[in-house]
Amino acid sequence: GGKARAPTPAVTSAVADELDQYLNDPEEPDVEACLLAWWKVKELKWPALAKMAKQYLCAPCSSAGVERVFSAAGKMHDDLKKSAKDSTLEHSLFAAFNTE
């Protein structure tokens, strides 16, 4: 199943490295291109960022993904973790669903 798991430090570091490279890359001239096509071209350079961009730029074909997130949130926010801050839950969900 689509069980969410916490990212490993190596994965987190790799994504952070990609993000740093992306942010430090020189800006391209104003291109009137489809964002998905632009990320397709860049996915060899920044594979993790391209994957996240595709996830957020594409329209979902069903609500199953949203339902999985709500299910995972319920499991993460069980009775033992109710004292955790909402931002902690949000960050945990984001990391779990945006890393491999």
Side-chain angles (χ1 to χ4, degrees), residues 59-94:
C61 59
S62 76
S63 63
V66 173
E67 291 169 15
R68 276 192 297 275
V69 173
F70 278 116
S71 177
K75 290 175 185 173
M76 286 182 182
H77 202 266
D78 63 10
D79 289 338
L80 298 174
K81 297 180 182 178
K82 284 188 177 173
S83 62
K85 294 180 182 178
D86 288 339
S87 62
T88 303
L89 177 62
E90 182 180 353
H91 291 137
S92 296
L93 284 169
F94 182 83

Side-chain angles (χ1 to χ4, degrees), residues 6-81:
T8 64
V11 170
T12 304
S13 177
V15 173
D17 290 345
E18 278 188 35
L19 181 58
D20 286 340
Q21 290 172 13
Y22 170 78
L23 293 173
N24 290 318
D25 209 49
E27 284 189 36
E28 294 183 14
D30 195 10
V31 179
E32 296 206 19
C34 170
L35 287 176
L36 286 172
W38 188 87
W39 276 107
K40 179 72 177 165
V41 171
K42 301 296 183 179
E43 73 182 328
L44 289 175
K45 188 173 185 178
W46 304 307
L49 294 179
K51 180 181 176 184
M52 285 189 268
K54 288 179 203 173
Q55 288 175 329
Y56 291 101
L57 295 173
C58 293
C61 59
S62 76
S63 63
V66 173
E67 291 169 15
R68 276 192 297 275
V69 173
F70 278 116
S71 177
K75 290 175 185 173
M76 286 182 182
H77 202 266
D78 63 10
D79 289 338
L80 298 174
K81 297 180 182 178

